[in-house]
Amino acid sequence: MRDLLRATAEHAADHLEAQAEGPIRPDASAGEILRTIDAPLSDAPTDAGEVVDALVRDAAPGLMHIGSPRFFGWVCGGALPAAVAADWLVTAWDQNAGGATIAPATSAIEELAGRWCVELLGLPEGTSFGFVTGCQMAHVTALAAARHAVLARAGWDVDEDGLNGAPRIRVLCGEERHVTIDRALRLLGLGVRAVEAIAADETGAMRADALAEALRDVDGPAIVCAQAGNVNSGVVDPLPEIVEAAHAAGAWVHVDGAFGLWAAASPRRRAEVAGIERADSWATDAHKWLNVPYDCGIALVADAEAHRAAMTAQAAYIEDAAATGGARDPLDFNPEFSRRARGVPVYAALRSLGRSGVAELVDRLCDCAERFAERLGAEPGVEIPARGLNQVLVRWDDDAATEAALAGVQSDGTCFMSGTTWQGRPAMRISVSNWQTTLADVDRSVEAVLGAAAGAPA
């Protein structure tokens, strides 16, 4: 076992080092990789070392170098060294982190990591948390707490009686919301048709006046979903006005802060998410700006009792950790029983960075995004239709030129950006989320983009 793990660690280190300079885009598609590895399952066992060597060999052409400091596609972070090492330990420990009795060490570590997150983000004392797979399940978890709370206020116990015959819940969301909100509503039985889309301004931010108007006739259970960081523009909704209008109407406010919530950890950027602490629940990713390995999202709920009521599960064979030692049982705040100890890499990341390190990381990534906008926006025929926090949208006067520039830079290999459609037109979307990215990486990437746009090698 020891020799196998040492050899595997060497393979992993080689991969991490290769990301710094090697081409970022994979050489092979998923279909091509499948054709390479496709074979009947052997009847006889295969040596574990051979299995690992084959994995390394066969996967290599299809690995996207997401951990590169010049990977700017979608909104993907890298992985801090301490977080990678902690994630390896989590695998080796192989704890079932669902309960505090079966996994006391990881439960305690996650408890502290969650409290650190609440403090860093400036959320109310006593805010509960659950470490889940990503922002998608963080939405499901937090909105389940919201569903429980707003129906309880209306005299309905959704956990016992379900939704059949329950009062209708109105869900008010910006028209520029992320698709994971809709998916969460489907999973929770509320359905996408429950959504009342609120108009957005030209930056993608929800219009507070339109929300206030829509809330005028609310007289029953209602949930408002706001956004701290539009997935395209990075712009934050006007949270103080949204929270005030929603609470005046008795509505629960949930914030999609997949990446933007971390701006609250920076003294320089905190004003951009002002008012976020007055919401009722929040969802964010740790595998974006905090740079822990996939997968890790965090659901946070100001009303810990509503959170626990929506998630808890008990059985005769499960020891009540709180009753025996005052410990917090993770399964009371997560939608899973058996689960990986995702909070341990979060603990490692936060401890390695400290408060100042998290703030520096957030600030540097935003500064890098600003450099992209300044340099590319100064070029003739190029415009920056929207930008905020660590997100930048770029497009050329001609849509065909935008698409050609995007395809060219992806093929070049110096850096990688993904595309999107913004207000009916194609755009290059730049998301700066990696802990290693510097202004020098931005400048090198800008030259590659401009070279691709000119149709010449970068």
Side-chain angles (χ1 to χ4, degrees):
M1 173 71 84
R2 189 176 295 272
D3 289 343
L4 175 64
L5 293 181
R6 282 175 173 162
T8 304
E10 288 296 323
H11 284 310
D14 289 345
H15 169 74
L16 292 173
E17 290 177 0
Q19 293 189 112
E21 290 300 327
I24 295 173
R25 188 173 185 171
D27 294 326
S29 68
E32 290 168 330
I33 296 293
L34 180 57
R35 285 190 289 275
T36 298
I37 65 174
D38 196 8
L41 179 63
S42 64
D43 182 60
T46 303
D47 177 76
E50 291 181 29
V51 172
V52 170
D53 289 343
L55 275 171
V56 172
R57 179 191 67 240
D58 296 337
L63 294 176
M64 177 77 81
H65 282 183
I66 293 175
S68 166
R70 292 178 304 284
F71 182 85
F72 306 111
W74 299 280
V75 193
C76 298
L80 289 157
V84 172
D87 203 52
W88 288 357
L89 283 176
V90 167
T91 298
W93 291 343
D94 196 24
Q95 299 290 285
N96 181 345
T101 302
I102 190 173
T106 58
S107 295
I109 293 167
E110 287 195 339
E111 171 75 14
L112 183 55
R115 293 204 325 244
W116 282 352
C117 288
V118 170
E119 293 169 8
L120 268 176
L121 298 171
L123 303 182
E125 185 177 354
T127 292
S128 60
F129 51 86
F131 291 103
V132 293
T133 53
C135 210
Q136 173 69 83
M137 287 312 297
H139 288 319
V140 171
T141 304
L143 288 172
R147 183 185 64 179
H148 169 91
V150 299
L151 286 176
R153 292 173 198 163
W156 187 269
D157 187 341
V158 68
D159 302 305
E160 291 293 327
D161 299 323
L163 288 172
N164 285 337
R168 171 176 171 256
I169 299 176
R170 294 179 62 179
V171 183
L172 300 94
C173 306
E175 61 185 3
E176 282 285 339
R177 66 191 178 277
H178 195 271
V179 67
T180 50
I181 291 288
D182 290 26
R183 196 185 202 187
L185 295 173
R186 286 163 45 204
L187 292 172
L188 291 168
L190 299 178
V192 177
R193 285 182 182 160
V195 173
E196 299 175 32
I198 306 301
D201 64 19
E202 67 280 0
T203 72
M206 185 194 299
R207 282 177 41 199
D209 61 332
L211 175 66
E213 181 62 31
L215 288 168
R216 287 185 187 278
D217 62 346
V218 168
D219 60 358
I223 300 170
V224 172
C225 295
Q227 194 165 219
N230 179 283
V231 71
N232 282 310
S233 69
V235 171
V236 178
D237 287 345
L239 297 171
E241 293 88 349
I242 287 172
V243 174
E244 182 176 358
H247 284 174
W252 177 290
V253 179
H254 173 68
V255 177
D256 176 358
F259 57 90
L261 191 63
W262 291 100
S266 161
R268 277 183 55 199
R269 298 288 173 175
R270 193 171 296 142
E272 297 183 51
V273 291
I276 204 165
E277 72 284 352
R278 295 169 53 201
D280 299 290
S281 63
W282 308 262
T284 192
D285 279 319
H287 54 230
K288 289 185 169 62
W289 273 15
L290 192 57
N291 279 246
V292 306
Y294 280 91
D295 52 25
C296 186
I298 311 173
L300 302 123
V301 182
D303 184 345
E305 286 306 310
H307 187 178
R308 186 179 187 280
M311 292 290 113
T312 190
Q314 298 297 324
Y317 68 91
I318 299 174
E319 184 176 331
D320 187 346
T324 58
R328 174 188 185 272
D329 241 333
L331 65 83
D332 285 334
F333 299 92
N334 292 279
E336 305 147 323
F337 254 54
S338 301
R339 53 179 287 274
R340 183 177 180 81
R342 297 183 185 92
V344 173
V346 173
Y347 166 89
L350 292 176
R351 185 166 180 182
S352 68
L353 290 172
R355 289 179 179 273
S356 63
V358 175
E360 188 279 332
L361 176 60
V362 169
D363 292 342
R364 175 162 43 86
L365 299 184
C366 290
D367 290 344
C368 286
E370 289 174 358
R371 175 74 71 92
F372 266 120
E374 290 167 1
R375 287 207 55 192
L376 291 173
E379 293 293 318
V382 180
E383 65 170 318
I384 307 298
R387 75 151 252 87
L389 296 176
N390 66 331
Q391 303 289 109
V392 184
L393 291 183
V394 185
R395 66 184 175 205
W396 281 253
D397 289 344
D398 178 73
D399 289 348
T402 299
E403 293 171 341
L406 179 62
V409 78
Q410 288 180 348
S411 297
D412 171 73
T414 300
C415 57
F416 187 96
M417 289 80 167
S418 53
T420 190
T421 299
W422 178 252
Q423 297 177 347
R425 294 182 58 195
M428 177 184 291
R429 190 181 71 163
I430 301 174
S431 175
V432 189
S433 305
N434 190 286
W435 67 278
Q436 301 174 91
T437 304
T438 65
L439 293 175
D441 289 307
V442 174
D443 291 338
R444 181 175 170 185
S445 300
V446 167
E447 295 306 317
V449 170
L450 295 178

